[in-house]
Amino acid sequence: MAAPGDKLGLVLSGGGARGAYQSGVLKALAEKIGGSDPSPFPIVTGVSAGALNSANLASHRGSFREAADALVAGWSELTIERVYKSDFKALFGSVLKWVGMVGTGSAAMAKEARGMLDTAPLAKSLAGAIDLSGLGPNIADGRIRALALSATDYSMGGTVTFVQGHPDVEPWERAGRRSIVTDLTIDHVMASCALPLIFPAVRVGDTYYGDGSVRQRVPLSPAIHLGADRLLVITISHKRTADEPAIKPITDYPVPSQVIGMLLNAIFLDSLDADIERAIRVNRTLEMLPIGVPHPDGLRPISLMKIAPSKDLGELSQDLGRALPRSMRLLLRGLGGRLAKSPDFLSYLLFEKPYLERLIELGYRDGLAEWDRVGPFLEGVGATVPGR
């Protein structure tokens, strides 16, 4: 599907349960492309939930359509119990450890107080859903050039991008970010998904890592370092249009769940949107250079296409609080969840069928609606700036 000689990259952002939206988009694109061809994306990068989707897609040995269908099926089968332990003993045992640590200042308790939620079930679920043994053969066959998953290094404080790819892939290092060429495992996927304080850090080698979205200031850079000159970006960030009803101003003091939701939005949404705007500015600057003048500092134009939700993914979860286990409802209530005007915090943790089905269906509809733009872009026709 990609143009001859084109290095087409797929960039998948993070977002907890919201990552199901991306699977719906990919399913729609795969149906439109049709046939039995493998994925049209030789370069695949992801972070957090996007890392899960990227690893699944890049390692699948079947056609693009089969890979997308398998991804949707995986999300459809998820439940909270398959992502994190939500029983009263596990949940409030963790809460008590945090309370004891803060109340006593005990260094010993600090070592025991890890993430608020135990994600051991997720590791088991991913091991059954993602067969990373297919990645090496896909690279050897030329179906995939590279898969890159980003995580935050707790020892150094920067972003590390773990890469498995073609032998000519070279590592890079920039201020606050670097890459490591390695054979990817489920631990790398788990590390990229380990949201600080909420999910426990994951040890890879001698270092502990957390969610890659936390410090990733330039989310497009891994795909560009790997040689991509055309990028399809699937984000979870919805931008309200002029004809949508305005959000009612919040006049009450913000409750904790509302603040946490805002912080999660900042982690998962802001950097990617800013990096896309930066890439567009670089493209426009390079276009202004006279013909024959070399691009400075090795800069090169990058064609961009963005697919974003046509509806606010947080608002899609607004009436689904009862889908949470009773223990989680109680915790959310304690954080002011019933008083919060925004359901964003809930949406990131709501790995339950009613919400996941809404996300997949919306992604599918958006993917079909965007095909008139995406189809020509995948064929290498013109440079398209991001849409909604």
Side-chain angles (χ1 to χ4, degrees):
M1 187 71 187
D6 200 18
K7 292 183 179 178
L8 182 61
L10 176 67
V11 178
L12 300 178
S13 65
R18 296 185 182 197
Y21 170 83
Q22 296 171 347
S23 72
V25 173
L26 291 168
K27 177 179 173 65
L29 300 186
E31 287 186 5
K32 282 293 187 179
I33 292 173
S36 58
D37 291 338
S39 168
F41 305 103
I43 297 169
V44 185
T45 71
V47 61
S48 193
L52 183 160
N53 291 335
S54 297
N56 207 319
L57 187 66
S59 62
H60 198 282
R61 290 290 287 160
S63 67
F64 181 40
R65 186 164 184 171
E66 290 170 338
D69 286 344
L71 186 58
V72 167
W75 278 103
S76 299
E77 294 170 0
L78 273 185
T79 62
I80 283 177
E81 287 73 21
R82 298 188 66 182
V83 177
Y84 54 84
K85 294 181 180 179
S86 59
D87 58 278
F88 277 95
K89 181 179 178 181
L91 184 59
F92 288 98
S94 177
V95 171
L96 288 174
K97 286 181 181 179
W98 280 88
V99 172
M101 175 190 68
V102 174
T104 64
S106 169
M109 292 196 72
K111 291 183 179 181
E112 294 297 323
R114 304 199 171 189
M116 293 288 292
L117 302 174
D118 185 344
T119 53
L122 178 60
K124 184 177 180 180
S125 297
L126 293 183
I130 303 176
D131 184 7
L132 282 169
S133 67
L135 180 57
N138 281 346
I139 293 171
D141 294 346
R143 293 157 57 106
I144 294 292
R145 171 170 171 77
L147 169 64
L149 312 177
S150 296
T152 299
D153 183 341
Y154 278 137
S155 63
M156 302 297 290
T159 298
V160 173
T161 299
F162 298 103
V163 180
Q164 183 173 345
H166 190 275
D168 67 0
V169 168
E170 296 182 357
W172 64 86
E173 185 166 357
R174 298 290 187 273
R177 51 192 171 92
R178 61 190 175 94
S179 68
I180 296 176
V181 177
T182 186
D183 290 335
L184 295 173
T185 68
I186 294 299
D187 284 344
H188 295 100
V189 180
M190 288 290 295
S192 185
C193 296
L195 188 64
L197 302 182
I198 298 178
F199 291 166
V202 175
R203 183 171 180 170
V204 178
D206 296 328
T207 304
Y208 281 93
Y209 295 90
D211 196 298
S213 301
V214 176
R215 295 292 300 272
Q216 195 177 47
R217 299 188 301 273
V218 282
L220 302 181
S221 67
I224 295 172
H225 278 297
L226 292 169
D229 51 26
R230 302 176 62 78
L231 295 179
L232 176 66
V233 183
I234 305 179
T235 180
I236 60 165
S237 175
H238 167 70
K239 288 191 176 180
R240 198 170 296 271
T241 58
D243 58 343
E244 288 183 84
I247 300 175
K248 184 179 179 180
I250 298 173
T251 56
D252 298 327
Y253 191 85
V255 294
S257 61
Q258 182 184 332
V259 174
I260 295 172
M262 181 196 68
L263 291 175
L264 292 176
N265 284 343
I267 290 172
F268 290 121
L269 309 183
D270 294 353
S271 294
L272 181 57
D273 287 341
D275 202 23
I276 289 173
E277 291 181 357
R278 187 183 302 112
I280 293 173
R281 289 197 301 271
V282 170
N283 284 346
R284 290 173 178 168
T285 300
L286 295 179
E287 289 174 358
M288 296 173 65
L289 294 176
I291 297 176
V293 175
H295 295 162
D297 299 325
L299 295 177
R300 54 191 172 88
I302 302 295
S303 296
L304 287 167
M305 170 72 69
K306 182 176 78 168
I307 299 179
S310 57
K311 295 182 179 180
D312 188 295
L313 301 188
E315 292 181 3
L316 281 184
S317 71
Q318 198 153 23
D319 61 336
L320 296 177
R322 290 188 176 277
L324 286 169
R326 186 166 178 266
S327 58
M328 285 296 295
R329 295 202 305 269
L330 184 60
L331 177 62
L332 186 64
R333 190 182 310 165
L335 293 172
R338 284 188 170 181
L339 301 176
K341 308 300 183 185
S342 170
D344 287 334
F345 178 40
L346 169 65
S347 71
Y348 286 108
L349 299 177
L350 190 56
F351 294 90
E352 288 292 339
K353 190 171 184 177
Y355 184 49
L356 299 178
E357 286 184 340
R358 289 183 184 182
L359 293 172
I360 293 169
E361 177 61 26
L362 179 65
Y364 181 76
R365 293 201 310 266
D366 287 350
L368 294 179
E370 295 282 17
W371 179 249
D372 287 344
R373 293 192 315 121
V374 176
F377 179 81
L378 297 183
E379 294 282 5
V381 180
T384 309
V385 297
R388 62 168 178 255

